[in-house]
């Protein structure tokens, strides 16, 4: 006798007829249905016509491939019709199908009864332990409160001072309230003291006067927007480049050398930049001039003026700015040195003071007469 799968004999119940026995004795439900079909001598096509079930589903049931069957309600109906057409017990076939193909939509139930029995068995002990803990906490709090209670004792004050508002011996004529005084400053910072001539003596450059600082601030060139890398950087390193092209939106750029070779070609996204090398004769070809910001010596110099621009145009501007900055620095240094020299010439020279000597202070040697 074959061993049953998925159920015990008590669950299956007694076998009432041969049809029921043929369904339960097979290894699987599909084996039982296939064996019954082979005994009847009918094909899957004939049974499909009789049961109105597609042969693909009948084959899947015989092969125990329940994954291709439709939803569970239709699958149970197919199994019931197939078993009835083969003369088998329909209910037995359906029950075995349910055992061999559990319903995944039914949630698992948590076990019950064991925890409740344990709690019921130990409820007396738990209640006793809880009562002891409660008594311990209450007793500890009572002990703390009792230990902090002190017996009343006389005051340490030997004599109570007189009340000046009611005592007639207190002179109230000299007691006058003045106006409110201003609030004290939170912090007092002394004014910075600079030793006159110390900076000139130590550095050789005279300090600038407030008027000179204001004039320099008025004549200074305003700082323009600086280059801020926000994406990938291509091209030459930062120490070997004075010109940077940064894309403000996605656009194409092609850099061609004088002989026609392509030095750089790429579609730059927003924030990507390309550093132009120094001393290279090339032509910049872009898809959209307004999509590229030009930075010369780290400062914003506008957008690309045209679709095709020679790189030498930007490099020449960068070199001119560098020369101009060097000349301005040299001129400022020369002016500072001239001003320091003029201030040094106008200062009085330090001389040693001459102290007059009175005749009475000069010691005179005594004169002796000859013998």
């Amino acid at each position: 006798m074959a061993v049953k799968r998925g159920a015990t004999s008590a669950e299956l119940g007694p076998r009432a007829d041969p049809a029921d026995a043929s369904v339960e004795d097979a290894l699987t439900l599909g084996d039982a249905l296939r064996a019954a079909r082979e005994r009847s001598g009918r094909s899957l096509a004939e049974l499909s016509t009789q049961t109105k079930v597609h042969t693909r589903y009948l084959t899947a049931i015989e092969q125990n491939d329940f994954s291709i069957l439709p939803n569970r309600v239709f699958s149970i109906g197919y199994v019931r019709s197939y078993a009835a057409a083969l003369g088998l017990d329909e209910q037995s076939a359906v029950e075995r199908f349910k055992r061999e193909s559990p319903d995944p939509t039914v949630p698992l139930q948590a076990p019950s009864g064991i925890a409740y029995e344990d709690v019921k068995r130990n409820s007396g002990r738990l209640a006793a332990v809880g009562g002891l803990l409660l008594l311990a906490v209450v007793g500890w709090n009572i002990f703390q409160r009792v230990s902090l209670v002190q017996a009343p004792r006389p005051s340490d004050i030997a004599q109570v001072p007189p009340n000046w508002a009611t005592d007639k011996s207190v002179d109230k004529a000299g007691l006058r309230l003045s106006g409110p005084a201003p609030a004290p400053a939170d912090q007092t910072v002394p004014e910075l003291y600079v030793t006159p001539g110390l900076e000139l003596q130590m550095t050789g450059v005279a300090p600038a006067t407030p008027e000179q600082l204001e004039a320099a601030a008025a004549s200074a060139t305003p700082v323009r927007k600086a280059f801020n890398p926000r994406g990938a950087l291509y091209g030459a390193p930062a120490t070997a480049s004075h010109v940077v092209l940064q894309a403000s939106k996605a656009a194409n750029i092609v850099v061609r050398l004088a002989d026609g070779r392509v030095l750089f070609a790429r579609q730059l996204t927003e924030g990507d930049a390309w550093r132009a090398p120094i001393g290279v004769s090339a032509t910049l070809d872009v898809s959209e001039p307004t999509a590229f910001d030009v930075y010369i010596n780290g400062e914003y110099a506008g957008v690309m003026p045209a679709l095709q621009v020679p790189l030498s145009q930007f490099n020449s501007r960068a070199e001119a700015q560098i020369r101009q900055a060097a000349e301005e620095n040299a001129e400022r240094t020369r002016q500072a040195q001239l001003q320091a020299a003029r201030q040094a010439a106008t200062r009085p020279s330090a001389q040693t003071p001459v102290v007059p000597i009175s005749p009475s202070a000069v010691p005179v040697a005594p004169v002796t007469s000859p013998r």
Side-chain angles (χ1 to χ4, degrees):
M1 179 178 179
V3 180
K4 303 176 185 178
R5 296 177 56 189
T8 61
S9 58
E11 295 173 343
L12 296 177
R15 300 175 182 174
D17 51 26
D20 189 4
S22 62
V23 171
E24 297 297 339
D25 288 343
L27 293 177
T28 61
L29 175 63
D31 295 339
L33 295 176
R34 184 174 58 255
R37 178 179 58 81
E38 292 175 353
R39 287 195 301 270
S40 65
R42 286 179 289 177
S43 62
L44 288 174
E46 296 176 356
L47 291 172
S48 175
T49 304
Q50 180 181 352
T51 60
K52 309 300 181 182
V53 180
H54 199 277
T55 55
R56 178 180 58 183
Y57 297 143
L58 297 180
T59 304
I61 294 174
E62 289 187 356
Q63 296 177 356
N64 300 297
D65 186 9
F66 306 134
S67 59
I68 66 173
L69 296 177
N71 59 57
R72 192 167 183 83
V73 176
F74 285 96
S75 301
I76 293 175
Y78 294 165
V79 171
R80 188 184 300 275
S81 300
Y82 197 19
L86 294 175
L88 301 177
D89 184 67
E90 305 173 13
Q91 189 62 29
S92 299
V94 169
E95 293 298 330
R96 186 157 189 182
F97 172 76
K98 291 180 179 179
R99 293 196 303 270
E100 296 181 1
S101 176
D103 187 3
T105 61
V106 178
L108 298 178
Q109 300 294 331
S112 59
I114 300 177
Y116 174 76
E117 294 295 335
D118 292 342
V119 173
K120 185 177 180 181
R121 186 183 306 111
N122 300 323
S123 58
R125 299 176 184 176
L126 295 177
V129 172
L132 291 176
L133 291 177
L134 180 60
L135 290 176
V137 173
V138 173
W140 175 256
N141 282 273
I142 294 175
F143 173 76
Q144 291 291 330
R145 290 181 177 274
V146 171
S147 62
L148 293 178
V149 175
Q150 298 180 358
R153 57 187 182 87
S155 176
D156 296 335
I157 301 176
Q159 183 179 1
V160 179
N163 190 354
W164 68 273
T166 58
D167 192 357
K168 297 180 180 181
S169 62
V170 179
D171 185 12
K172 305 180 181 63
L175 299 176
R176 296 289 184 271
L177 295 178
S178 60
D186 294 340
Q187 185 177 8
T188 303
V189 180
E191 185 179 356
L192 181 64
Y193 176 78
V194 179
T195 304
L198 181 61
E199 185 175 354
L200 177 62
Q201 182 179 358
M202 297 184 64
T203 62
V205 179
T209 61
E211 294 77 10
Q212 293 174 347
L213 293 177
E214 293 179 1
S219 61
T221 304
V223 179
R224 291 178 290 182
K225 184 174 66 173
F227 170 66
N228 181 22
R230 302 190 309 272
L233 293 176
Y234 305 96
T239 56
S241 175
H242 299 319
V243 179
V244 179
L245 274 70
Q246 187 176 36
S248 59
K249 60 181 180 179
N252 299 327
I253 178 174
V254 180
V255 183
R256 293 185 176 88
L257 299 176
D259 56 1
R261 292 180 300 169
V262 176
L263 176 64
F264 178 77
R266 194 177 184 88
Q267 182 182 14
L268 301 183
T269 59
E270 181 180 357
D272 294 349
W274 177 74
R275 292 195 182 104
I278 302 174
V280 175
S281 178
T283 302
L284 304 177
D285 189 355
V286 297
S287 60
E288 185 177 352
T290 58
F292 288 91
D293 296 331
V294 182
Y295 293 87
I296 298 178
N297 293 326
E299 295 184 354
Y300 179 69
V303 298
M304 286 282 292
L307 291 174
Q308 294 183 353
V309 179
L311 180 59
S312 58
Q313 175 179 342
F314 297 137
N315 283 330
S316 301
R317 290 176 56 184
E319 294 173 358
Q321 290 181 3
I322 294 174
R323 287 194 300 267
Q324 181 180 0
E327 293 173 358
E328 291 178 355
N329 291 334
E331 181 63 21
R332 283 195 295 267
T333 304
R334 188 179 66 83
Q335 293 294 336
Q337 292 176 354
L338 291 177
Q339 183 181 359
R342 286 195 297 267
Q343 292 183 358
T346 56
R347 285 184 303 166
S349 60
Q351 298 179 357
T352 304
V354 179
V355 179
I357 303 175
S358 61
S360 60
V362 178
V364 179
V367 178
T368 60
S369 59
R371 291 182 182 179

